[in-house]
Amino acid sequence: MAIDWHQYRCNGYHDELFEKPGQPRAAARRLVDYLGNLGAAELAERRLAAELAIKIMGVTFTVYSEGRNVDRSWPFDVIPRAITSREWARTEAGLKQRVQALNHFIQDIYGEQKIVRDKIFPASLLRESVNFRPQCVGMKPRHGVWAHICGSDLVRDLDGTLYVLEDNLRVPSGVSYMVENRLVTKRVFPELFETGSILPVDDYPAQLYDMLAAMSPRPGNQPSIALLTPGIYNSAYFEHSWLARQMGIELVEGPDLFVGDDDIVYMRTVYGPKRVDVIYRRIDDLFLDPEAFRPDSVLGVKGLMRAWLKNKVALVNAPGAGVADDKVVYAFVPAMIKYYLGEDAILPNVPSWLCMRKRDREHVLANLDKLVVKPANESGGYGMLIGPRASKKEREKFADLIRANPRNYMAQPTLSLSTAPTLTEDGIEPRHLDLRPFILSRGDSVYVTTGGLTRVAMTKGSLVVNSSQGGGAKDTWIVDLDGETEPPVQVQTQTQKGGRQTQGSAARPARRRRTG
């Protein structure tokens, strides 16, 4: 039986695929037509095929439960999200603008601190920052780039406005799932990728490799690049190994590296020490170097900061970049854009109240039942209060936390996050979602992924999209309508589907080929 999209209800929210029941948005028309002709039963079969593909491909994530690490298959919804390339062009420009301003800010904070002297950014906010690293003062990384990789979370409100919810600059994760989502979708719906209207995402490993190579302190040489992981028990280890494999670089742990008397970083190999030029580190600052930070760290490399400060090795992202990865500092990014670039922000922030300000704090305390309250430096959706869904006891607890440490908290309105059709056990229903694009900065150029990782709240009515708390993901399509002149795609019959699976991306894929 064909899917009757007129029965799909957005429940008053902005829906990513539908303007109103039965009327798909421009980017989603071919997709909606295709799924409608496919039918509910066949769609359920494709869902099972996706789950099987994820298991065969070994796409997992790790959650911590009752003191144990539990590997789970990646939760995936087969109905993609679609955005027009015209809208994405503006989004891409806004993300590039944002990361440029953030890099200026970090360099300034560890340098002359002009933005503080000019009273654009409060000195008190900097003094109390838990991510400011005095060890980095005076450092000037290659090309002036501190946040080489940024994952900015975007959300769309009721009126369709796309907001930046937060910036992730320390060790942003999730990009491997963005690419794997596409590979699974191409296996399940190969017919939809027979034209060039869905822009590709498989060039990210090549772009990342080129950015890392550009950071080498030995320009002109073939750089030696390594990805530094905390190890197999880290929740993002799948991504660490995936990225190293895709780029053809070494995957190392702390004991695999050492810093010589010449302040150069070496990797232990069966052929003897080998110099390392660039380290893509997936370890938090405080565990990077027991000589500079936590002396009890067994994850890092003794002397690594010394080597970095002497420009003998590049660290990506740079230590100290987390000073801008703070939900309170986030509120000042539009002012940073104006201050450093002389431009208005293309992408707006979500309206925010900073509890460090007396008037804002009073407003937050008086409206805890209406607001979302976030700690400055937690991630993964942990430690926050969703006021409308919290109990009176939970709100009272947060009020005490805010009064005790107002600098550590900020609040935002409870947004009516956009939804998209999602295949559930009860059929196709709307679920809330967000989007995390990834931005690579190498100084002379900035690259933005074509779309990003769409995270979806799999629980009905939930606003929490993080996989660690029950969220899932969708493939994200940037659709080039200007180049789409082909007739509607035809659904394959069961006998046609046999040998039409696509292959995985190569380690150095071509850039932005006109395929999915």
Side-chain angles (χ1 to χ4, degrees):
M1 182 182 294
I3 298 170
D4 183 2
W5 288 112
H6 288 86
Q7 300 301 314
Y8 174 76
R9 292 289 183 268
C10 310
N11 299 328
Y13 295 100
H14 180 103
D15 195 84
E16 296 292 332
L17 297 192
F18 285 90
E19 295 182 15
K20 58 185 180 181
Q23 184 175 327
R25 298 186 185 279
R29 286 170 189 160
R30 291 185 71 245
L31 171 63
V32 168
D33 181 59
Y34 169 81
L35 294 177
N37 291 329
L38 198 65
E42 178 68 8
L43 184 57
E45 287 187 19
R46 303 287 178 109
R47 178 190 185 184
L48 291 174
E51 292 173 354
L52 179 60
I54 287 169
K55 290 180 179 179
I56 292 173
M57 294 162 67
V59 185
T60 64
F61 73 105
T62 304
V63 295
Y64 301 107
S65 175
E66 299 177 352
R68 298 183 301 115
N69 297 337
V70 180
D71 284 335
R72 295 179 178 172
S73 292
W74 181 242
F76 178 71
D77 178 62
V78 295
I79 303 178
R81 170 195 200 153
I83 302 170
T84 66
S85 58
R86 291 181 182 180
E87 180 186 8
W88 190 249
R90 179 180 179 277
T91 304
E92 181 178 329
L95 293 170
K96 289 180 177 180
Q97 179 195 55
R98 194 171 183 94
V99 78
Q100 287 171 336
L102 286 166
N103 273 305
H104 281 302
F105 169 74
I106 301 168
Q107 182 63 73
D108 188 14
I109 286 300
Y110 290 114
E112 299 181 29
Q113 297 189 357
K114 292 180 180 179
I115 196 169
V116 177
R117 291 206 313 267
D118 291 340
K119 302 186 184 305
I120 305 298
F121 187 81
S124 61
L125 192 55
L126 181 60
R127 281 195 304 270
E128 298 175 25
S129 170
V130 300
N131 290 316
F132 177 77
R133 307 289 177 227
Q135 299 90 338
C136 298
V137 171
M139 179 60 177
K140 294 182 178 179
R142 185 168 176 79
H143 304 308
V145 180
W146 293 74
H148 309 81
I149 306 165
C150 177
S152 291
D153 293 343
L154 308 179
V155 293
R156 200 189 299 275
D157 200 6
L158 191 62
D159 62 357
T161 301
L162 197 64
Y163 291 98
V164 179
L165 183 65
E166 62 183 56
D167 303 292
N168 299 279
L169 305 176
R170 284 173 283 182
V171 282
S173 63
V175 74
S176 61
Y177 299 112
M178 175 193 77
V179 180
E180 292 291 341
N181 288 346
R182 176 59 55 85
L183 293 177
V184 172
T185 306
K186 290 171 76 172
R187 288 187 177 205
V188 176
F189 300 131
E191 308 94 328
L192 288 167
F193 294 88
E194 292 176 350
T195 72
S197 59
I198 303 169
L199 300 185
V201 298
D202 59 357
D203 62 342
Y204 181 84
Q207 295 284 351
L208 178 59
Y209 181 92
D210 290 346
M211 182 276 289
L212 293 171
M215 296 301 120
S216 174
R218 295 191 297 166
N221 292 2
Q222 181 69 28
S224 173
I225 304 173
L227 190 154
L228 177 60
T229 175
I232 60 173
Y233 297 111
N234 184 265
S235 62
Y237 184 75
F238 168 83
E239 177 157 295
H240 304 167
S241 59
W242 187 92
L243 286 169
R245 185 172 65 253
Q246 291 290 315
M247 290 187 285
I249 65 174
E250 299 293 339
L251 180 66
V252 299
E253 297 181 31
D256 298 323
L257 305 176
F258 70 93
V259 178
D261 294 336
D262 52 5
D263 295 322
I264 291 174
V265 180
Y266 294 94
M267 176 173 53
R268 294 181 172 90
T269 76
V270 294
Y271 304 105
K274 177 182 178 181
R275 179 171 181 173
V276 177
D277 299 302
V278 183
I279 297 175
Y280 176 19
R281 55 99 176 196
R282 297 296 294 257
I283 295 177
D284 289 339
D285 285 358
L286 296 182
F287 295 91
L288 267 179
D289 181 355
E291 182 179 284
F293 300 117
R294 289 184 53 157
D296 61 340
S297 173
V298 295
L299 299 177
V301 183
K302 185 178 180 180
L304 187 58
M305 282 293 290
R306 179 164 28 96
W308 177 66
L309 290 168
K310 292 185 178 182
N311 284 307
K312 297 294 183 70
V313 69
L315 296 180
V316 176
N317 281 348
V323 70
D325 187 349
D326 179 311
K327 293 179 178 63
V328 177
V329 173
Y330 150 92
F332 292 88
V333 174
M336 294 177 198
I337 293 171
K338 192 71 172 179
Y339 182 78
Y340 293 115
L341 305 181
E343 302 168 357
D344 293 326
I346 296 172
L347 297 176
N349 273 18
V350 177
S352 304
W353 293 273
L354 306 184
C355 295
M356 57 183 280
R357 297 169 176 164
K358 184 175 184 296
R359 180 175 294 182
D360 284 12
R361 183 166 64 253
E362 291 173 349
H363 174 81
V364 171
L365 291 172
N367 294 276
L368 282 176
D369 60 329
K370 304 179 183 69
L371 302 174
V372 175
V373 184
K374 302 178 181 179
N377 292 291
E378 291 285 352
S379 60
Y382 293 105
M384 69 178 186
L385 176 82
I386 301 178
R389 303 186 182 184
S391 67
K392 182 179 180 181
K393 185 177 180 180
E394 289 171 330
R395 293 196 294 268
E396 289 174 349
K397 177 184 175 182
F398 253 79
D400 291 339
L401 291 171
I402 291 169
R403 294 187 186 100
N405 187 5
R407 188 268 182 241
N408 191 49
Y409 292 93
M410 58 94 76
Q412 296 171 330
T414 306
L415 297 178
S416 299
L417 297 186
S418 63
T419 61
T422 302
L423 187 58
T424 74
E425 297 297 334
D426 298 320
I428 297 175
E429 296 183 350
R431 292 289 187 268
H432 297 291
L433 41 68
D434 75 355
L435 176 63
R436 177 176 290 183
F438 295 86
I439 307 101
L440 302 178
S441 180
R442 50 188 285 179
D444 57 341
S445 64
V446 179
Y447 163 84
V448 180
T449 53
T450 310
L453 175 64
T454 288
R455 302 180 300 179
V456 56
M458 302 299 280
T459 303
K460 188 173 184 176
S462 175
L463 298 175
V464 180
V465 300
N466 307 84
S467 58
S468 59
Q469 298 193 50
K474 291 173 170 284
D475 191 14
T476 308
W477 292 1
I478 305 302
V479 181
D480 183 6
L481 297 177
D482 295 334
E484 184 175 306
T485 57
E486 298 84 354
V489 66
Q490 298 298 312
V491 179
Q492 288 182 337
T493 65
Q494 192 70 25
T495 56
Q496 288 177 308
K497 291 188 297 184
R500 299 281 302 278
Q501 294 186 352
T502 58
Q503 301 297 315
S505 58
R508 300 293 303 279
R511 288 167 177 72
R512 292 188 185 262
R513 300 189 306 273
R514 301 278 305 174
T515 67

